[in-house]
Amino acid sequence: MQIDILTCLPEIFNSFLNTSIIKRARDKKEVNIIIHNIRDFAQDKHKKVDDYPYGGNSGMVLKIEPIVNCLDYLKSIREYDEIIYMSPDGELLNQKKINSLTLTKNLIIICGHYKGIDERIRENFVTMEISIGEYVLTGGELASAVLVDCITRLLPGSISDSTSALNDSFQDDLIAPPEYTRPYDFRGLKVPDILLSGNEKAIAQWRDIQSIKRTKKNKNIYLNKNK
Ligand code: ADE
């Protein structure tokens, strides 16, 4: 899978791309993630990427030319399934959307900054707008890292135990059951004995029950909060 990220803050991605599962997936060529500095596509002398909004307003807006120059360049190399713009007013990200994006081949992700991007980019070039939550970040970089992380970990070969991702919370609308590891007894805090019983059927049943309990509890918290 190919993911091209357009940003004016490329350094944000350094540790993200070179750590843990994302690094392994890149090393294994499961995913090719390329960060493009929007500034490199600005053609004026000062490499300006933002400007004041028309009509007078606070903040700066990312300019159309550098972003579209970058899109033109990428689209001249390959066809893209989606051009995604990370935005707090986009469609809320969930596991279903992530699953469907793992089936695509080539994605472009645009990170907005400051006050946003020139609306003409959204109207004429972007095919999908995604929000990672109902709050506003300083830019789309962290949001795009969340999206890329969620997609990459589902690619075959990214996680060594492929059944692990299938058991994630939300894959079947249920929250994952609790997990424990050694020691069995930490200052009197013990692991549930069923997990040491060796009875696979009983363990699976226990896990299902815990998942359902957790899902119900979380849904109640969510419903009460949003009343
Ligand atoms: N950019 C700023 N806030 C964002 C959010 N909540 N989701 C996606 N992109 C964003």
Side-chain angles (χ1 to χ4, degrees):
M1 184 170 192
Q2 170 84 25
I3 304 179
D4 291 277
I5 301 178
L6 279 57
T7 173
C8 43
L9 295 172
E11 58 277 13
I12 289 187
F13 294 92
N14 289 346
S15 68
F16 167 65
L17 292 180
N18 293 301
T19 313
S20 186
I21 290 170
I22 306 298
K23 179 177 180 338
R24 187 164 68 205
R26 292 178 63 223
D27 289 347
K28 282 188 167 180
K29 310 257 181 288
E30 293 289 348
V31 65
N32 187 29
I33 305 169
I34 305 291
I35 309 295
H36 303 273
N37 189 344
I38 294 168
R39 202 170 295 280
D40 295 339
F41 293 85
Q43 280 167 338
D44 65 301
K45 204 167 67 184
H46 302 289
K47 300 268 172 203
K48 210 169 154 51
V49 291
D50 57 354
D51 212 333
Y52 294 99
Y54 271 116
N57 210 344
S58 59
M60 302 289 265
V61 176
L62 287 184
K63 288 164 68 62
I64 189 166
E65 302 100 311
I67 290 179
V68 172
N69 286 344
C70 184
L71 293 178
D72 284 348
Y73 160 70
L74 291 172
K75 288 197 278 184
S76 72
I77 305 172
R78 63 183 74 79
E79 271 189 30
Y80 284 88
D81 299 290
E82 300 286 356
I83 299 178
I84 300 169
Y85 173 53
M86 302 309 299
S87 164
D89 44 56
E91 196 186 323
L92 211 52
L93 186 62
N94 58 24
Q95 193 63 48
K96 201 168 146 210
K97 178 147 257 17
I98 292 158
N99 292 351
S100 76
L101 286 172
T102 59
L103 303 175
T104 61
K105 266 198 151 113
N106 301 311
L107 293 178
I108 291 177
I109 304 177
I110 303 173
C111 305
H113 228 249
Y114 313 111
K115 194 82 186 158
I117 60 173
D118 191 304
E119 189 66 18
R120 289 167 291 184
I121 305 168
R122 298 174 73 165
E123 284 172 357
N124 298 291
F125 298 91
V126 167
T127 60
M128 183 183 278
E129 301 197 341
I130 293 181
S131 162
I132 63 157
E134 291 168 336
Y135 43 79
V136 182
L137 300 157
T138 53
E141 283 74 14
L142 294 177
S144 72
V146 167
L147 177 61
V148 170
D149 185 286
C150 294
I151 293 172
T152 303
R153 63 188 293 281
L154 293 183
L155 299 177
S158 289
I159 297 181
S160 43
D161 173 9
S162 61
T163 56
S164 170
L166 293 174
N167 293 332
D168 287 341
S169 288
F170 305 115
Q171 275 302 6
D172 49 9
D173 287 332
L174 283 178
I175 290 168
E179 298 288 357
Y180 301 84
T181 188
R182 284 180 287 188
Y184 165 71
D185 185 342
F186 176 73
R187 298 181 188 169
L189 301 172
K190 296 195 179 120
V191 174
D193 285 321
I194 181 87
L195 295 175
L196 287 86
S197 67
N199 183 339
E200 282 181 27
K201 206 171 152 199
I203 293 173
Q205 211 168 32
W206 179 87
R207 287 198 164 123
D208 285 346
I209 291 167
Q210 299 305 314
S211 279
I212 293 164
K213 272 191 187 165
R214 279 196 161 181
T215 308
K216 274 191 183 160
K217 194 172 153 203
N218 260 28
K219 287 255 152 77
N220 281 340
I221 292 169
Y222 179 80
L223 289 176
N224 286 334
K225 264 195 195 148
N226 288 284
K227 257 183 194 164

